[in-house]
Amino acid sequence: MKEVPVKIEHDGTWVVLKIGITEDRLVIPRPVDREVLFKDIVNLEERKNVLLISTRDAPDKTLPILSVEKVLRVMKRLILSSCSAYRLAAYFLSPAVRGGVMIKDAQWEKGSIIVVKTGIWFDSAQKQVSIPLNEVADIQLTKRDVQGKQTDVIKIDHVDAGEVVTSFVLCPVSTLQTLFNFLTDATKSMDMRGDELDEYDQQVAMLVYSGMDSSAIISMLSINNKKLDVIYDKLINLDIAEVVEVRREVKLTTKGIRYISDVTKQ
């Protein structure tokens, strides 16, 4: 059994420990005093250098573990290979496109695709990629040139650090449709009916997507701030937009007007 240094959140504080890692479990000493079987893990998330683990007996609770990347990489590999999840051997290309720009040195990786409660994981000998399900923008069956041949693949568009990123998955044709159906179902909570926005609302949403700020949208559509705020509120309430900046509008007080008048006299 290997022992590695970590920090674990316990009773609201971070505790420094050395935990044991075996082929099938994590052995956590006091004060946590717990063994976590990999096969009992139902969800694995990663946030910076913290792994969030959820187990079958408490799926809504997380066990946060912080450590260096080398340690976390070993833990992720062991957990992903044995946890309770949809798992399939596949090739993946991730990321292939970032912000609309092709990544020149992107290469197909041979490994596995693992779908847990809150995310899609790609795992190979060279890399581990995590795509949270709530960051998936689109999933399509499409074709891509692979070694000079047009091949059926799954295209996954997702958001990473504010940019739209595209990844591809390649697996045998016999399982491609099954995987596509599973991924589509796993991300179904992101779907909308399609009638929540009228054409005007959709136009504003498209302009926001194109990168326009509020001033540019107001100018292009010839509307006022109040009208745009109503549409923004609608987008926010539907959870398809979020506030990134609040701009204040001000007017001068009498004191301010007096100051400007004095300045212009000088």
Side-chain angles (χ1 to χ4, degrees):
M1 181 175 69
K2 293 183 179 179
E3 289 192 336
V4 295
V6 301
K7 286 185 178 181
I8 294 183
E9 189 174 11
H10 178 66
D11 289 341
T13 61
W14 287 94
V15 182
V16 179
L17 297 170
K18 280 193 174 182
I19 66 172
I21 302 179
T22 71
E23 291 184 356
D24 68 343
R25 71 190 65 197
L26 299 176
V27 181
I28 308 173
R30 293 179 179 177
V32 180
D33 195 20
R34 180 180 177 187
E35 290 192 3
V36 180
L37 294 174
F38 297 143
K39 67 178 183 179
D40 289 337
I41 294 176
V42 295
N43 196 43
L44 177 68
E45 296 180 66
E46 183 176 22
R47 297 176 187 171
K48 295 185 178 179
N49 288 333
V50 179
L51 289 186
L52 302 174
I53 296 170
S54 299
T55 55
R56 200 187 316 273
D57 60 340
D60 296 327
K61 293 183 179 181
T62 59
L63 176 66
I65 301 177
L66 183 152
S67 191
V68 297
E69 175 57 32
K70 184 177 180 180
V71 170
L72 295 183
R73 184 176 180 81
V74 173
M75 290 175 58
K76 286 184 287 184
R77 172 136 305 132
L78 290 169
I79 291 171
L80 291 172
S81 65
S82 303
C83 67
S84 177
Y86 179 90
R87 187 179 292 99
L88 181 70
Y91 288 86
F92 64 87
L93 187 64
S94 182
V97 181
R98 177 178 287 276
V101 179
M102 299 285 292
I103 297 178
K104 293 181 180 179
D105 58 351
Q107 296 182 346
W108 285 98
E109 301 276 347
K110 181 181 180 180
S112 300
I113 178 170
I114 304 104
V115 185
V116 293
K117 183 179 178 181
T118 62
I120 301 167
W121 284 84
F122 298 135
D123 184 39
S124 73
Q126 302 299 321
K127 66 166 60 174
Q128 295 161 330
V129 180
S130 174
I131 303 174
L133 293 179
N134 61 7
E135 298 291 351
V136 174
D138 190 31
I139 297 177
Q140 295 181 27
L141 277 174
T142 186
K143 290 185 181 291
R144 184 175 174 85
D145 187 283
V146 180
Q147 295 182 343
K149 181 181 178 181
Q150 286 293 299
T151 306
D152 291 322
V153 297
I154 294 174
K155 175 187 174 187
I156 303 175
D157 290 333
H158 50 103
V159 178
D160 179 49
E163 292 184 308
V164 177
V165 175
T166 298
S167 299
F168 294 98
V169 181
L170 171 63
C171 63
V173 176
S174 58
T175 56
L176 193 69
Q177 185 66 53
T178 301
L179 176 59
F180 172 75
N181 292 341
F182 187 89
L183 292 176
T184 301
D185 187 62
T187 57
K188 209 169 187 62
S189 62
M190 299 287 287
D191 291 346
M192 296 175 63
R193 295 190 313 271
D195 59 355
E196 294 90 347
L197 302 177
D198 60 28
E199 291 184 6
Y200 208 79
D201 301 332
Q202 292 174 8
Q203 190 174 6
V204 170
M206 291 181 68
L207 293 175
V208 171
Y209 179 72
S210 70
M212 281 194 179
D213 61 18
S214 298
S215 298
I217 294 174
I218 288 171
S219 176
M220 174 168 283
L221 300 182
S222 300
I223 58 176
N224 57 37
N225 280 320
K226 289 185 177 179
K227 174 64 175 177
L228 186 60
D229 282 342
V230 169
I231 297 174
Y232 277 178
D233 285 341
K234 194 172 184 179
L235 301 182
I236 293 167
N237 291 335
L238 288 170
D239 199 28
I240 61 176
E242 60 184 358
V243 177
V244 294
E245 181 179 356
V246 177
R247 185 182 64 187
R248 289 186 294 179
E249 298 291 344
V250 301
K251 69 175 183 177
L252 293 183
T253 61
T254 303
K255 183 177 180 180
I257 295 171
R258 181 182 177 91
Y259 170 78
I260 295 299
S261 296
D262 288 344
V263 168
T264 55
K265 292 175 183 177
Q266 295 177 5

